[in-house]
Amino acid sequence: MKNWCLSVWKRFSQLEKPPVQVRKIVAWVAALEYLYGAVKNQKHAQSQAKVAEKYELSPSTVAKCVKALQTLDLK
C-alpha cells in the first residue's frame, strides 16, 4: 500500500497544474487510503464517508481529493 500511495502522490505532485488545492495533508492521506481500497483491495474497500470519519474530516473534503487524484491512471 505504501509504495502504491507514494507512486500515486509522486505522479500527482508532478502535474503542471494540480486540479485543486487542499491544505489539509490528512485529507490527501484519507483520499489515498480510499482509492487504494477501491482500486487495489476491492474486497475490503471502505466508503468515502467511513474514511472521512476515521480521519475526522468532512466527506466532501475527502471526495474533493479523491476526484483530483482520479485524474491519474490509478491501475
Side-chain angles (χ1 to χ4, degrees):
M1 178 177 172
K2 176 184 168 186
N3 290 334
W4 183 86
C5 289
L6 287 172
S7 172
V8 170
W9 185 251
K10 182 179 178 182
R11 286 185 289 153
F12 182 76
S13 66
Q14 290 174 342
L15 290 176
E16 196 166 307
K17 184 178 178 194
V20 296
Q21 277 199 342
V22 176
R23 289 168 176 62
K24 292 182 180 180
I25 298 297
V26 71
W28 293 108
V29 172
L32 285 166
E33 182 176 322
Y34 167 78
L35 285 169
Y36 181 81
V39 173
K40 295 291 188 182
N41 195 8
Q42 294 174 352
K43 285 184 186 178
H44 299 98
Q46 297 182 45
S47 69
Q48 288 182 21
K50 273 284 199 203
V51 175
E53 183 180 323
K54 176 181 176 180
Y55 288 97
E56 299 178 353
L57 298 163
S58 71
S60 63
T61 299
V62 175
K64 188 165 128 177
C65 294
V66 166
K67 185 176 178 180
L69 290 171
Q70 284 178 326
T71 62
L72 304 172
D73 180 18
L74 298 175
K75 301 294 182 209

